[in-house]
Amino acid sequence: MKFVFVIVLAVFLQCGTVWASASADSIIGTDRPDGRFLSSRGVVQQLMKDRSPTLAFDPNMDPSGFVQWQADMKAAMRRLMRHPSTEVPAPRKVKTVIRSGYRIEKWESYPLDGAVVPYLVMIPDGADTVHPAPAVLCIPGFGQTKELLAGETVGDFNLNGKPAENPGKNAMALHYVRKNVVAVVVDNVSFGELADDGRADYLNTSRMLLEMGWSYLGLTSWQDKVVLDWMKTVPYINKERILVSGFSLGTEPLMALGLLDDSIYAFVYNDFLCTTRERILVMTKPDAQGNRPFPNSIEHLIPEFLTTFDFPDIVAALAPRPVICTEGGLDRDFRKIRKAYEWSGAPDNFTYYHYAKYADPTVRMDVEEVPQGVDRTQFFRIVNCDPPSHYFKTEWVLPWLDDLLGK
Amino acid sequence: MKFVFVIVLAVFLQCGTVWASASADSIIGTDRPDGRFLSSRGVVQQLMKDRSPTLAFDPNMDPSGFVQWQADMKAAMRRLMRHPSTEVPAPRKVKTVIRSGYRIEKWESYPLDGAVVPYLVMIPDGADTVHPAPAVLCIPGFGQTKELLAGETVGDFNLNGKPAENPGKNAMALHYVRKNVVAVVVDNVSFGELADDGRADYLNTSRMLLEMGWSYLGLTSWQDKVVLDWMKTVPYINKERILVSGFSLGTEPLMALGLLDDSIYAFVYNDFLCTTRERILVMTKPDAQGNRPFPNSIEHLIPEFLTTFDFPDIVAALAPRPVICTEGGLDRDFRKIRKAYEWSGAPDNFTYYHYAKYADPTVRMDVEEVPQGVDRTQFFRIVNCDPPSHYFKTEWVLPWLDDLLGK
């Protein structure tokens, strides 16, 4: 039985070299004539395979059902994120520093009774009550801080020092404020100023949240929602032009906020577009020690998320609001999303770029299904992801932004 | 602020030497005058601390509410375990081997469409339709197989060889069958015959189950429930005298089954009795690398379990059915459980023993609350757990069983 899978795998793949090392035990199979699995992993693999996400976007659906589908997606995200329904105290400004062409205000928000969550607000010179500016909520990736995104010195939470000398591409918020956009920057839960005595603490925090029936993404997106709601009340911000920009891990709260808040104007999605359920199901190739890869760490675990929808479905549900995806993925998914944008009457509002390495269609993989039995490196190759080139793509985002904001 | 905690910790503890190394950063505190936490861990710690389990057993409650509380506990466990509601095919016998004084049948159950789950049935000579025997469902601990519990050769899934030469204390099922009790033995999910190509696979399987909104305990207890239900249909088993016996990890499905199935006659709980929520909240002392302990691996994670109830609450809810706890814990918890048994009119039906090392009350810790800031070793000391002596306690269980079954 396992050999059949290997043959299917070999036939299926367009590029032979990558999977040359795939062996029988990379595939989770069963030798039983009744097709039942003895291994629990096999059983659970089958169970997950059988459970297609209930709200998966179907490009063959009747387009007249699209709006209702979007409403269902939004309701599902509300259910999954479990945001508190209580009022929160108003944020408070704690510091202002002047930079060349803009100022940075440090604010504190109070999203939960026991919590203080600081954030930075970068206000370009010229933005004021009379001339409210567009604004963007900037959400960092794993291991990134709000100071990094702001082009400040990493670790200088009180902005006592000077800005970073070479802020680099990943200083997302700095790039925005230089475009005369108000850039609001947050930390993700458990990192940066929110770390545990200076240490990243994604795992323990995620675990405790999960014990309580909440999740890392639930809390992170709630913290971000509090800041986003505050942004709408600021007189120098044009609340009709608020964007959300997420890098890597930060694309997850971006997607949550996108479905939770119709007032967001547009989205910058800076990561490859991943079908996460598929990633879990296909990455079954044991490593040198014989262990299959663990999907990813538990800050990405939201029970019932992947049985409800996956990342491409969520992006499709953002139509017709402008979205730019900057780091590719599978054309299969982009075709689906484009269909959603066509149905919503704004096909040009969805923009995407592949990694430079896979920009050429003859080099790019274009499969309808990623085969089981791959490791992380093989998975990334198949879905056209080039991890060493994972950075904030100013080259695509900034011209797109100019165009979007009509400058 | 942190120093206050340390003083409280020092005053609180009865035994000074164990905590001598507790330092300020072992405690999760905040220096802010408003008491808010900047660290996400602090926020989440506070959140979990504030959320006492909704169904925690309250020894000061009005005893007239006890039966309703038990009903609420059972309903909550049903909700949390998420067992399928579908009918399952009848199990099938695949092998019989003869042993001295008993025979072993190997059976296959089919708890899910894609699953086969084998189990062993050890039938003492003399048990037949005319003389149905009591029976016990034996559930192994982490890293234990049904063959180990049966006194067979570990890894010999088809029972082709001879029984183990020196089966030892942990051969729980063998001890039972020698007492003329039918012993039914299962594997836990992801281990033994249910492993993934011969490898333990607790983590990946648990993760995938959690993604689907299920859990390791949900699946394990479902597999066990299918076998338990089958036991009630077997003519040589006295279905009025079915026990469940769990070792270590196996006490978790024991507790789930206990609340799900009123027909279980009695329980053997072979582990220390742990208040798991407290364990997570107090084990905050960083290790040599500065990392706080991760509570335990994710096969123990059932979202919303610990905000609903904890292990001692569940045991209390089993009253008046006989329970023996064989490896101690905190007297605080045993006092609560005894109260529940008094209310249900059967104070003698709850039996417990401490580890030999802590049998002497002058050596044993007796605290109402475990203080924050300890590591695993310190936690085990405070709750009177002696890990090196963690084994199946034939010395307590077998006499108790004789007494229970009136022999």
Side-chain angles (χ1 to χ4, degrees), chain A residues 32 36-41 82 108 112-116 190 194-196 199 201 204 207 211 289 292 295-296 304, chain B residues 32 36-37 39-41 82 108 112-116 190 194-196 199 201 204 207 211 289 292 295-296 304:
Chain A
R32 288 176 59 98
R36 291 179 183 270
F37 289 87
L38 192 54
S39 79
S40 302
R41 172 59 189 263
R82 300 189 174 204
E108 282 183 0
L112 295 170
D113 278 350
V116 52
S190 304
L194 307 183
D196 177 17
R199 282 170 177 272
D201 177 48
N204 269 315
R207 171 62 179 272
E211 293 283 358
Q289 285 72 47
R292 303 192 197 276
N296 49 17
E304 295 183 62
Chain B
R32 290 177 57 99
R36 290 179 183 270
F37 288 86
S39 79
S40 302
R41 171 60 189 261
R82 300 188 175 206
E108 283 184 358
L112 295 170
D113 277 351
V116 52
S190 304
L194 307 184
D196 176 17
R199 283 171 177 270
D201 178 48
N204 270 314
R207 171 62 179 272
E211 293 282 358
Q289 285 71 47
R292 302 191 199 277
N296 49 16
E304 296 184 62

Short mmCIF file of all heavy atoms in Angstrom, two decimals, chain A residues 32 36-41 82 108 112-116 190 194-196 199 201 204 207 211 289 292 295-296 304, chain B residues 32 36-37 39-41 82 108 112-116 190 194-196 199 201 204 207 211 289 292 295-296 304:
data_model
loop_
_atom_site.label_atom_id
_atom_site.label_comp_id
_atom_site.label_asym_id
_atom_site.label_seq_id
_atom_site.Cartn_x
_atom_site.Cartn_y
_atom_site.Cartn_z
N ARG A 32 -3.20 -2.76 5.93
CA ARG A 32 -4.38 -3.59 6.17
C ARG A 32 -5.33 -3.58 4.97
O ARG A 32 -5.60 -2.52 4.39
CB ARG A 32 -5.13 -3.08 7.39
CG ARG A 32 -4.40 -3.38 8.71
CD ARG A 32 -5.18 -2.76 9.85
NE ARG A 32 -6.54 -3.28 9.93
CZ ARG A 32 -6.93 -4.25 10.76
NH1 ARG A 32 -6.06 -4.81 11.57
NH2 ARG A 32 -8.19 -4.65 10.77
N ARG A 36 -7.94 0.36 7.36
CA ARG A 36 -7.90 1.02 8.68
C ARG A 36 -6.46 1.21 9.13
O ARG A 36 -5.58 0.41 8.80
CB ARG A 36 -8.66 0.18 9.72
CG ARG A 36 -10.15 0.15 9.50
CD ARG A 36 -10.86 -0.70 10.54
NE ARG A 36 -12.29 -0.78 10.27
CZ ARG A 36 -13.19 0.08 10.76
NH1 ARG A 36 -12.80 1.05 11.58
NH2 ARG A 36 -14.47 -0.03 10.46
N PHE A 37 -6.26 2.24 9.91
CA PHE A 37 -4.92 2.52 10.45
C PHE A 37 -4.80 1.97 11.86
O PHE A 37 -5.71 2.11 12.68
CB PHE A 37 -4.66 4.02 10.48
CG PHE A 37 -4.46 4.64 9.13
CD1 PHE A 37 -5.54 5.06 8.38
CD2 PHE A 37 -3.18 4.78 8.61
CE1 PHE A 37 -5.36 5.63 7.12
CE2 PHE A 37 -2.99 5.35 7.36
CZ PHE A 37 -4.08 5.77 6.61
N LEU A 38 -3.64 1.36 12.11
CA LEU A 38 -3.31 0.91 13.44
C LEU A 38 -2.65 2.05 14.22
O LEU A 38 -2.93 2.27 15.40
CB LEU A 38 -2.35 -0.28 13.31
CG LEU A 38 -2.05 -1.15 14.52
CD1 LEU A 38 -3.32 -1.68 15.17
CD2 LEU A 38 -1.15 -2.31 14.11
N SER A 39 -1.81 2.81 13.53
CA SER A 39 -1.12 3.91 14.21
C SER A 39 -2.10 5.06 14.44
O SER A 39 -2.89 5.42 13.58
CB SER A 39 0.06 4.41 13.37
OG SER A 39 -0.37 5.25 12.33
N SER A 40 -2.01 5.62 15.64
CA SER A 40 -2.88 6.76 15.96
C SER A 40 -2.60 7.92 15.01
O SER A 40 -3.52 8.64 14.62
CB SER A 40 -2.62 7.21 17.39
OG SER A 40 -2.84 6.15 18.29
N ARG A 41 -1.34 8.08 14.62
CA ARG A 41 -1.03 9.16 13.69
C ARG A 41 -1.79 8.96 12.39
O ARG A 41 -2.32 9.90 11.81
CB ARG A 41 0.47 9.24 13.43
CG ARG A 41 0.88 10.20 12.32
CD ARG A 41 0.41 11.64 12.60
NE ARG A 41 0.61 12.53 11.48
CZ ARG A 41 1.65 13.34 11.33
NH1 ARG A 41 2.60 13.36 12.24
NH2 ARG A 41 1.74 14.12 10.29
N ARG A 82 -12.66 34.78 20.22
CA ARG A 82 -13.12 34.90 21.61
C ARG A 82 -12.68 36.19 22.30
O ARG A 82 -12.20 36.18 23.44
CB ARG A 82 -12.63 33.70 22.44
CG ARG A 82 -13.12 32.37 21.89
CD ARG A 82 -12.81 31.24 22.82
NE ARG A 82 -13.43 30.00 22.33
CZ ARG A 82 -13.73 28.98 23.10
NH1 ARG A 82 -13.48 29.01 24.38
NH2 ARG A 82 -14.28 27.90 22.59
N GLU A 108 0.25 53.72 26.08
CA GLU A 108 -0.07 52.48 26.80
C GLU A 108 -1.55 52.17 26.62
O GLU A 108 -2.40 53.04 26.83
CB GLU A 108 0.15 52.66 28.30
CG GLU A 108 1.59 52.59 28.75
CD GLU A 108 1.72 52.69 30.27
OE1 GLU A 108 0.69 52.81 30.98
OE2 GLU A 108 2.86 52.64 30.73
N LEU A 112 -6.75 44.28 28.99
CA LEU A 112 -7.33 43.38 29.99
C LEU A 112 -7.09 44.00 31.36
O LEU A 112 -6.17 44.82 31.53
CB LEU A 112 -6.66 42.01 29.94
CG LEU A 112 -6.86 41.19 28.65
CD1 LEU A 112 -5.94 39.96 28.67
CD2 LEU A 112 -8.32 40.75 28.49
N ASP A 113 -7.85 43.58 32.35
CA ASP A 113 -7.74 44.15 33.69
C ASP A 113 -6.31 44.18 34.20
O ASP A 113 -5.87 45.15 34.80
CB ASP A 113 -8.61 43.36 34.68
CG ASP A 113 -10.05 43.81 34.62
OD1 ASP A 113 -10.32 44.84 33.95
OD2 ASP A 113 -10.91 43.14 35.21
N GLY A 114 -5.59 43.08 33.98
CA GLY A 114 -4.25 42.99 34.55
C GLY A 114 -3.14 43.41 33.61
O GLY A 114 -1.97 43.21 33.91
N ALA A 115 -3.48 43.98 32.45
CA ALA A 115 -2.48 44.16 31.39
C ALA A 115 -2.23 45.61 31.03
O ALA A 115 -3.14 46.43 31.00
CB ALA A 115 -2.93 43.43 30.12
N VAL A 116 -0.97 45.89 30.74
CA VAL A 116 -0.61 47.14 30.05
C VAL A 116 0.14 46.74 28.78
O VAL A 116 1.05 45.92 28.84
CB VAL A 116 0.23 48.07 30.94
CG1 VAL A 116 1.43 47.36 31.54
CG2 VAL A 116 0.69 49.30 30.15
N SER A 190 4.10 38.25 24.21
CA SER A 190 5.25 37.46 24.70
C SER A 190 6.60 37.83 24.12
O SER A 190 7.57 37.11 24.35
CB SER A 190 5.06 35.95 24.47
OG SER A 190 3.90 35.51 25.05
N LEU A 194 6.88 42.96 25.83
CA LEU A 194 5.91 42.06 26.47
C LEU A 194 6.53 40.71 26.84
O LEU A 194 5.82 39.79 27.24
CB LEU A 194 4.71 41.85 25.54
CG LEU A 194 4.03 43.12 25.03
CD1 LEU A 194 2.80 42.78 24.19
CD2 LEU A 194 3.65 44.05 26.18
N ALA A 195 7.84 40.61 26.71
CA ALA A 195 8.52 39.35 27.05
C ALA A 195 8.50 39.14 28.56
O ALA A 195 8.14 40.02 29.33
CB ALA A 195 9.94 39.38 26.51
N ASP A 196 8.92 37.95 28.94
CA ASP A 196 8.91 37.54 30.35
C ASP A 196 10.31 37.76 30.92
O ASP A 196 11.20 36.96 30.67
CB ASP A 196 8.51 36.06 30.41
CG ASP A 196 8.54 35.50 31.82
OD1 ASP A 196 8.54 36.28 32.78
OD2 ASP A 196 8.55 34.26 31.94
N ARG A 199 12.79 37.63 28.26
CA ARG A 199 12.87 36.41 27.46
C ARG A 199 11.60 36.19 26.66
O ARG A 199 10.50 36.36 27.19
CB ARG A 199 13.04 35.20 28.38
CG ARG A 199 14.43 35.07 28.86
CD ARG A 199 14.56 34.03 29.94
NE ARG A 199 15.95 33.95 30.28
CZ ARG A 199 16.83 33.15 29.67
NH1 ARG A 199 16.44 32.32 28.72
NH2 ARG A 199 18.09 33.16 30.00
N ASP A 201 8.58 34.33 25.30
CA ASP A 201 7.80 33.37 26.09
C ASP A 201 6.56 32.93 25.32
O ASP A 201 5.46 32.84 25.85
CB ASP A 201 7.41 34.03 27.43
CG ASP A 201 6.53 33.14 28.27
OD1 ASP A 201 6.88 31.97 28.43
OD2 ASP A 201 5.48 33.62 28.74
N ASN A 204 4.98 29.06 26.73
CA ASN A 204 4.25 28.95 27.99
C ASN A 204 2.97 29.79 27.97
O ASN A 204 1.93 29.36 28.45
CB ASN A 204 5.14 29.39 29.16
CG ASN A 204 5.91 28.22 29.77
OD1 ASN A 204 5.34 27.17 30.01
ND2 ASN A 204 7.19 28.41 30.02
N ARG A 207 0.42 28.08 25.82
CA ARG A 207 -0.13 26.91 26.50
C ARG A 207 -1.19 27.30 27.54
O ARG A 207 -2.27 26.69 27.62
CB ARG A 207 1.00 26.13 27.17
CG ARG A 207 0.55 25.02 28.10
CD ARG A 207 -0.24 23.94 27.34
NE ARG A 207 -0.65 22.88 28.23
CZ ARG A 207 0.11 21.81 28.51
NH1 ARG A 207 1.28 21.64 27.93
NH2 ARG A 207 -0.33 20.89 29.34
N GLU A 211 -5.12 26.39 27.60
CA GLU A 211 -5.77 25.73 28.74
C GLU A 211 -7.11 26.42 29.06
O GLU A 211 -8.08 25.79 29.44
CB GLU A 211 -4.88 25.78 29.98
CG GLU A 211 -3.59 24.96 29.90
CD GLU A 211 -3.80 23.46 30.09
OE1 GLU A 211 -4.94 23.02 30.32
OE2 GLU A 211 -2.81 22.71 29.97
N GLN A 289 16.71 11.58 12.69
CA GLN A 289 16.46 10.79 13.90
C GLN A 289 15.19 9.94 13.77
O GLN A 289 14.82 9.22 14.68
CB GLN A 289 16.33 11.69 15.13
CG GLN A 289 17.66 12.26 15.64
CD GLN A 289 18.22 13.32 14.73
OE1 GLN A 289 17.51 14.22 14.29
NE2 GLN A 289 19.50 13.22 14.39
N ARG A 292 9.00 12.63 12.62
CA ARG A 292 8.31 13.48 11.65
C ARG A 292 8.30 14.92 12.19
O ARG A 292 8.27 15.13 13.40
CB ARG A 292 6.87 13.02 11.46
CG ARG A 292 6.75 11.57 11.01
CD ARG A 292 5.34 11.27 10.55
NE ARG A 292 5.09 9.84 10.50
CZ ARG A 292 5.41 9.04 9.48
NH1 ARG A 292 5.99 9.53 8.41
NH2 ARG A 292 5.16 7.74 9.53
N PRO A 295 4.37 20.35 13.35
CA PRO A 295 3.89 21.34 12.38
C PRO A 295 4.54 22.72 12.55
O PRO A 295 5.26 23.19 11.70
CB PRO A 295 2.39 21.41 12.66
CG PRO A 295 2.04 20.08 13.25
CD PRO A 295 3.25 19.65 14.01
N ASN A 296 4.28 23.38 13.63
CA ASN A 296 4.93 24.63 14.00
C ASN A 296 4.58 24.82 15.47
O ASN A 296 3.80 24.05 16.02
CB ASN A 296 4.47 25.80 13.12
CG ASN A 296 2.97 25.90 13.00
OD1 ASN A 296 2.24 25.31 13.80
ND2 ASN A 296 2.50 26.64 12.04
N GLU A 304 -9.94 24.35 16.13
CA GLU A 304 -11.05 24.46 15.16
C GLU A 304 -10.85 25.51 14.09
O GLU A 304 -11.73 25.70 13.24
CB GLU A 304 -12.40 24.70 15.87
CG GLU A 304 -12.80 23.52 16.73
CD GLU A 304 -14.16 23.71 17.37
OE1 GLU A 304 -15.15 23.83 16.63
OE2 GLU A 304 -14.22 23.74 18.61
N ARG B 32 4.82 47.76 38.64
CA ARG B 32 3.98 48.93 38.37
C ARG B 32 3.04 49.21 39.54
O ARG B 32 2.43 48.29 40.08
CB ARG B 32 3.16 48.69 37.10
CG ARG B 32 3.98 48.69 35.83
CD ARG B 32 3.09 48.38 34.65
NE ARG B 32 1.98 49.31 34.54
CZ ARG B 32 1.95 50.35 33.70
NH1 ARG B 32 2.97 50.60 32.92
NH2 ARG B 32 0.89 51.14 33.65
N ARG B 36 -0.63 46.37 37.04
CA ARG B 36 -0.78 45.72 35.73
C ARG B 36 0.54 45.05 35.32
O ARG B 36 1.61 45.51 35.68
CB ARG B 36 -1.17 46.76 34.67
CG ARG B 36 -2.59 47.27 34.84
CD ARG B 36 -2.93 48.32 33.78
NE ARG B 36 -4.28 48.86 33.99
CZ ARG B 36 -5.38 48.35 33.46
NH1 ARG B 36 -5.31 47.29 32.66
NH2 ARG B 36 -6.56 48.88 33.72
N PHE B 37 0.42 44.01 34.54
CA PHE B 37 1.59 43.31 34.04
C PHE B 37 1.93 43.78 32.64
O PHE B 37 1.05 43.94 31.79
CB PHE B 37 1.35 41.80 34.00
CG PHE B 37 1.31 41.16 35.35
CD1 PHE B 37 0.12 41.12 36.08
CD2 PHE B 37 2.46 40.61 35.92
CE1 PHE B 37 0.08 40.52 37.33
CE2 PHE B 37 2.41 40.02 37.16
CZ PHE B 37 1.22 39.97 37.88
N SER B 39 4.52 42.01 31.05
CA SER B 39 4.83 40.74 30.39
C SER B 39 3.54 39.98 30.11
O SER B 39 2.65 39.90 30.95
CB SER B 39 5.76 39.88 31.25
OG SER B 39 5.05 39.24 32.28
N SER B 40 3.49 39.40 28.92
CA SER B 40 2.29 38.61 28.57
C SER B 40 2.14 37.44 29.52
O SER B 40 1.03 37.05 29.88
CB SER B 40 2.42 38.09 27.14
OG SER B 40 2.58 39.16 26.25
N ARG B 41 3.27 36.87 29.94
CA ARG B 41 3.19 35.75 30.88
C ARG B 41 2.49 36.20 32.16
O ARG B 41 1.67 35.48 32.72
CB ARG B 41 4.58 35.20 31.19
CG ARG B 41 4.62 34.17 32.31
CD ARG B 41 3.74 32.95 31.98
NE ARG B 41 3.59 32.05 33.11
CZ ARG B 41 4.30 30.93 33.29
NH1 ARG B 41 5.19 30.58 32.42
NH2 ARG B 41 4.08 30.17 34.34
N ARG B 82 -15.98 15.34 23.87
CA ARG B 82 -16.43 15.36 22.47
C ARG B 82 -16.41 13.99 21.80
O ARG B 82 -15.91 13.84 20.67
CB ARG B 82 -15.55 16.33 21.66
CG ARG B 82 -15.61 17.75 22.20
CD ARG B 82 -14.91 18.71 21.30
NE ARG B 82 -15.08 20.09 21.76
CZ ARG B 82 -15.02 21.14 21.00
NH1 ARG B 82 -14.79 21.01 19.70
NH2 ARG B 82 -15.18 22.34 21.47
N GLU B 108 -9.85 -6.82 18.29
CA GLU B 108 -9.73 -5.55 17.58
C GLU B 108 -11.03 -4.78 17.72
O GLU B 108 -12.11 -5.32 17.47
CB GLU B 108 -9.53 -5.79 16.07
CG GLU B 108 -8.14 -6.21 15.67
CD GLU B 108 -7.99 -6.35 14.15
OE1 GLU B 108 -9.00 -6.15 13.41
OE2 GLU B 108 -6.88 -6.66 13.72
N LEU B 112 -13.28 4.37 15.24
CA LEU B 112 -13.50 5.40 14.22
C LEU B 112 -13.44 4.73 12.86
O LEU B 112 -12.82 3.66 12.71
CB LEU B 112 -12.42 6.49 14.30
CG LEU B 112 -12.38 7.33 15.58
CD1 LEU B 112 -11.11 8.19 15.61
CD2 LEU B 112 -13.62 8.22 15.69
N ASP B 113 -14.01 5.38 11.86
CA ASP B 113 -14.04 4.79 10.52
C ASP B 113 -12.68 4.29 10.05
O ASP B 113 -12.57 3.23 9.46
CB ASP B 113 -14.57 5.82 9.51
CG ASP B 113 -16.08 5.86 9.51
OD1 ASP B 113 -16.68 4.98 10.17
OD2 ASP B 113 -16.65 6.77 8.89
N GLY B 114 -11.65 5.10 10.30
CA GLY B 114 -10.33 4.74 9.77
C GLY B 114 -9.44 4.00 10.74
O GLY B 114 -8.27 3.81 10.48
N ALA B 115 -10.00 3.58 11.88
CA ALA B 115 -9.14 3.08 12.96
C ALA B 115 -9.38 1.63 13.32
O ALA B 115 -10.52 1.16 13.33
CB ALA B 115 -9.35 3.93 14.22
N VAL B 116 -8.28 0.95 13.67
CA VAL B 116 -8.39 -0.34 14.35
C VAL B 116 -7.59 -0.22 15.64
O VAL B 116 -6.45 0.26 15.63
CB VAL B 116 -7.87 -1.50 13.47
CG1 VAL B 116 -6.48 -1.23 12.93
CG2 VAL B 116 -7.88 -2.80 14.25
N SER B 190 -1.19 6.55 20.38
CA SER B 190 0.17 6.91 19.92
C SER B 190 1.30 6.12 20.53
O SER B 190 2.47 6.49 20.36
CB SER B 190 0.48 8.41 20.16
OG SER B 190 -0.45 9.20 19.55
N LEU B 194 -0.07 1.16 18.82
CA LEU B 194 -0.67 2.32 18.15
C LEU B 194 0.36 3.40 17.81
O LEU B 194 0.01 4.51 17.40
CB LEU B 194 -1.77 2.93 19.05
CG LEU B 194 -2.83 1.94 19.53
CD1 LEU B 194 -3.91 2.68 20.33
CD2 LEU B 194 -3.47 1.20 18.36
N ALA B 195 1.65 3.07 17.99
CA ALA B 195 2.71 4.03 17.68
C ALA B 195 2.80 4.24 16.17
O ALA B 195 2.20 3.51 15.37
CB ALA B 195 4.03 3.53 18.24
N ASP B 196 3.59 5.22 15.79
CA ASP B 196 3.75 5.60 14.39
C ASP B 196 5.02 4.93 13.86
O ASP B 196 6.12 5.40 14.14
CB ASP B 196 3.86 7.13 14.32
CG ASP B 196 4.12 7.65 12.91
OD1 ASP B 196 3.90 6.88 11.95
OD2 ASP B 196 4.53 8.81 12.79
N ARG B 199 7.34 4.25 16.58
CA ARG B 199 7.79 5.38 17.39
C ARG B 199 6.64 6.02 18.15
O ARG B 199 5.56 6.22 17.59
CB ARG B 199 8.38 6.48 16.49
CG ARG B 199 9.74 6.13 16.04
CD ARG B 199 10.24 7.08 15.00
NE ARG B 199 11.60 6.69 14.69
CZ ARG B 199 12.67 7.16 15.33
NH1 ARG B 199 12.54 8.06 16.28
NH2 ARG B 199 13.86 6.73 15.01
N ASP B 201 4.35 8.78 19.42
CA ASP B 201 3.96 9.94 18.62
C ASP B 201 2.91 10.76 19.36
O ASP B 201 1.91 11.19 18.80
CB ASP B 201 3.41 9.43 17.27
CG ASP B 201 2.92 10.57 16.40
OD1 ASP B 201 3.66 11.55 16.25
OD2 ASP B 201 1.78 10.48 15.91
N ASN B 204 2.72 14.93 17.90
CA ASN B 204 2.10 15.26 16.63
C ASN B 204 0.63 14.88 16.62
O ASN B 204 -0.22 15.63 16.12
CB ASN B 204 2.83 14.56 15.48
CG ASN B 204 3.96 15.42 14.91
OD1 ASN B 204 3.78 16.60 14.66
ND2 ASN B 204 5.11 14.82 14.70
N ARG B 207 -1.28 17.36 18.69
CA ARG B 207 -1.40 18.64 18.01
C ARG B 207 -2.49 18.61 16.95
O ARG B 207 -3.31 19.52 16.83
CB ARG B 207 -0.05 19.01 17.37
CG ARG B 207 -0.09 20.20 16.45
CD ARG B 207 -0.52 21.49 17.17
NE ARG B 207 -0.51 22.61 16.27
CZ ARG B 207 0.56 23.37 16.03
NH1 ARG B 207 1.68 23.15 16.67
NH2 ARG B 207 0.48 24.37 15.18
N GLU B 211 -5.91 20.76 16.77
CA GLU B 211 -6.28 21.59 15.62
C GLU B 211 -7.75 21.36 15.26
O GLU B 211 -8.44 22.28 14.84
CB GLU B 211 -5.40 21.25 14.40
CG GLU B 211 -3.94 21.59 14.52
CD GLU B 211 -3.64 23.09 14.33
OE1 GLU B 211 -4.56 23.87 14.05
OE2 GLU B 211 -2.46 23.45 14.49
N GLN B 289 19.10 27.68 32.39
CA GLN B 289 19.16 28.51 31.18
C GLN B 289 18.24 29.73 31.28
O GLN B 289 18.16 30.53 30.36
CB GLN B 289 18.78 27.70 29.94
CG GLN B 289 19.84 26.73 29.45
CD GLN B 289 20.02 25.55 30.38
OE1 GLN B 289 19.05 24.93 30.81
NE2 GLN B 289 21.26 25.24 30.74
N ARG B 292 11.49 29.20 32.23
CA ARG B 292 10.53 28.62 33.17
C ARG B 292 10.07 27.26 32.63
O ARG B 292 10.00 27.07 31.43
CB ARG B 292 9.31 29.53 33.33
CG ARG B 292 9.66 30.92 33.81
CD ARG B 292 8.40 31.68 34.21
NE ARG B 292 8.64 33.11 34.24
CZ ARG B 292 9.18 33.77 35.27
NH1 ARG B 292 9.53 33.12 36.34
NH2 ARG B 292 9.35 35.09 35.21
N PRO B 295 4.61 23.43 31.31
CA PRO B 295 3.80 22.64 32.26
C PRO B 295 3.97 21.13 32.11
O PRO B 295 4.45 20.45 32.99
CB PRO B 295 2.38 23.07 31.94
CG PRO B 295 2.49 24.42 31.35
CD PRO B 295 3.80 24.46 30.63
N ASN B 296 3.55 20.59 31.01
CA ASN B 296 3.76 19.20 30.66
C ASN B 296 3.42 19.11 29.18
O ASN B 296 2.95 20.09 28.59
CB ASN B 296 2.92 18.23 31.53
CG ASN B 296 1.47 18.64 31.60
OD1 ASN B 296 1.01 19.45 30.79
ND2 ASN B 296 0.74 18.10 32.54
N GLU B 304 -10.11 24.32 28.12
CA GLU B 304 -11.23 24.57 29.04
C GLU B 304 -11.43 23.51 30.12
O GLU B 304 -12.34 23.64 30.93
CB GLU B 304 -12.56 24.79 28.29
CG GLU B 304 -12.53 26.02 27.42
CD GLU B 304 -13.85 26.30 26.74
OE1 GLU B 304 -14.83 26.54 27.45
OE2 GLU B 304 -13.89 26.29 25.50
#
